[in-house]
Amino acid sequence: MDMSEINFSLDYAGVRGELRHDQPMKNYTSWRAGGSAERIYLPADLPDLAAFLRGLPWNEPVYVMGLGSNLLVRDGGVRGSVVVLHARLNGLQLESDMGQMLIYAGAGVACAKVARFAALQGLGGAEFLAGIPGTVGGALAMNAGCYGTETWDIVSSVQTIDRLGILRRRPPGNYEIGYRHVALKAEKSSGSQKMGARENAPDDSLTDEWFSGAWFALPRDHAAAVRQKIKELLARRIHTQPLNLPNAGSVFRNPENDKAARLIESCGLKEFRIGGAMVSPRHANFIVNTGGATASDIEAVIAAVRETVKKQTGVELKQEVRIIGTPARPELHVSRTAYRKDGGYGG
């Protein structure tokens, strides 16, 4: 076995998680494609994650992901540390806050698990989470939704962690929330740096903040009725989505008063392919890996779909999936494609 693939425990101050070097990201993303990460860290729990973040150099690139269901890593890989939260920050429990019953879920909990847990508690309103193939952290970061409901519709408050390992509990009012968009509102600073900030670190290195969990407020409902709704939503998902092949869910956001899938299909792009990447014949807003697709194949299909739809319909499709890392060869980079540059969640 390659020694770089062996897990080991970090041995410095308070850190207990697993650090893995030179890891192929195709093993961590739902597209099953992409280059390697310089480092991957799997925290033991929330205090361990805080200790890990505090120990990083201020200029270390950090990316946080869950199931990797909304993420493409370019074939040249990604420098820095990728923190994988799925099944790590996995707390899930019923709590009471001033007489109101809330469900707390850690950022690494799969969304479908939250939906099932709510049903067991006789709480409704979270059924749509069963149709989101990602984690709570990813759903919060992009306000994921389906079948008419979005994640932040049921959020009571969230917990975040920053690069200094500081935890905060924030209400929805701290954020600008929209369709597939969540951004922390600008805060007035009482000082030049946060308490405990590293000397000589640029200001923007102190603003990285990731979701570590959330409290969901849900109304009482009949458990049997909630379970039936979940069953119906899952049946609809199986019928309409290409779940038999690796994919990252919806690639583009729906334009106002329209559907990305309808626009793509109207341009005759179903089954359009480059290499092993293909626009799904079942759902035109899904790009599937038919076998052996590279990240460059997938990115090229994304760019071609956007360009064709723009040319034929005049609509500029906005990308929903995140793309990080460097191309295997610079000349393969598709500069027309717009990318998010934050280190947020990938599903």
Side-chain angles (χ1 to χ4, degrees):
M1 177 182 290
D2 185 341
M3 292 299 291
S4 68
E5 296 181 3
I6 295 178
N7 306 346
F8 61 92
S9 295
L10 299 175
D11 57 4
Y12 57 86
V15 177
R16 296 167 283 109
E18 299 174 6
L19 184 67
R20 304 175 181 179
H21 295 280
D22 193 27
Q23 290 291 296
M25 287 301 293
K26 67 181 180 180
N27 297 334
Y28 296 87
T29 60
S30 61
W31 248 322
R32 299 292 181 260
S36 295
E38 188 175 14
R39 283 174 297 280
I40 282 184
Y41 189 69
L42 295 89
D45 49 32
L46 188 55
D48 179 61
L49 174 59
F52 175 76
L53 291 171
R54 283 195 299 269
L56 290 175
W58 62 260
N59 58 348
E60 168 85 348
V62 178
Y63 302 90
V64 178
M65 63 174 286
L67 280 164
S69 57
N70 192 44
L71 179 68
L72 180 66
V73 178
R74 293 193 180 106
D75 297 313
V78 60
R79 187 179 69 83
S81 295
V82 177
V83 178
V84 179
L85 299 185
H86 176 234
R88 296 290 168 155
L89 301 192
N90 58 358
L92 183 60
Q93 64 250 5
L94 192 64
E95 298 184 1
S96 177
D97 183 15
M98 299 182 65
Q100 182 181 30
M101 299 308 297
L102 303 173
I103 288 179
Y104 172 79
V109 178
C111 291
K113 189 174 180 180
V114 178
R116 293 193 298 269
F117 182 78
L120 288 173
Q121 306 302 321
L123 298 175
E127 296 91 334
F128 75 100
L129 289 174
I132 297 176
T135 58
V136 168
L140 291 169
M142 66 175 295
N143 194 20
C146 59
Y147 309 125
T149 309
E150 295 177 322
T151 301
W152 283 81
D153 291 343
I154 60 173
V155 170
S156 172
S157 62
V158 297
Q159 185 182 61
T160 66
I161 187 169
D162 66 14
R163 287 191 68 125
L164 300 176
I166 297 172
L167 299 176
R168 296 176 178 83
R169 185 163 178 171
R170 294 186 179 276
N174 280 182
Y175 297 90
E176 296 175 0
I177 302 167
Y179 172 64
R180 303 299 178 265
H181 168 78
V182 178
L184 185 63
K185 294 178 181 177
E187 296 181 321
K188 294 181 180 179
S189 176
S190 58
S192 60
Q193 288 188 327
K194 295 178 184 176
M195 183 179 296
R198 300 176 182 85
E199 293 184 3
N200 302 319
D203 289 343
D204 60 3
S205 75
L206 305 175
T207 60
D208 289 339
E209 190 171 307
W210 300 275
F211 295 111
S212 57
W215 287 265
F216 298 108
L218 303 169
R220 285 287 178 188
D221 203 341
H222 295 292
V226 175
R227 288 195 297 269
Q228 181 60 31
K229 290 178 185 176
I230 291 175
K231 183 177 179 180
E232 292 171 359
L233 290 178
L234 290 177
R236 180 177 173 183
R237 180 171 177 242
I238 291 170
H239 180 71
T240 60
Q241 298 179 10
L243 304 182
N244 60 319
L245 290 172
N247 67 80
S250 296
V251 174
F252 299 102
R253 303 176 186 180
N254 287 325
E256 188 174 0
N257 300 319
D258 209 339
K259 298 288 187 181
R262 189 200 70 78
L263 290 167
I264 296 167
E265 184 173 358
S266 73
C267 295
L269 289 170
K270 275 191 172 182
E271 298 188 78
F272 170 80
R273 66 187 299 159
I274 295 175
M278 180 180 72
V279 176
S280 170
R282 176 170 289 188
H283 193 307
N285 200 17
F286 281 59
I287 294 174
V288 296
N289 182 347
T290 62
T294 64
S296 295
D297 291 340
I298 296 169
E299 191 171 0
V301 171
I302 291 173
V305 168
R306 177 187 282 112
E307 183 176 341
T308 302
V309 170
K310 174 66 173 178
K311 183 177 180 179
Q312 293 191 22
T313 71
V315 177
E316 181 78 30
L317 292 178
K318 295 182 179 180
Q319 194 171 296
E320 187 169 308
V321 297
R322 290 195 308 125
I323 301 179
I324 63 173
T326 59
R329 298 198 305 273
E331 64 270 21
L332 293 180
H333 178 56
V334 185
S335 60
R336 292 187 300 271
T337 306
Y339 306 108
R340 284 178 55 185
K341 296 182 179 180
D342 60 77
Y345 293 80

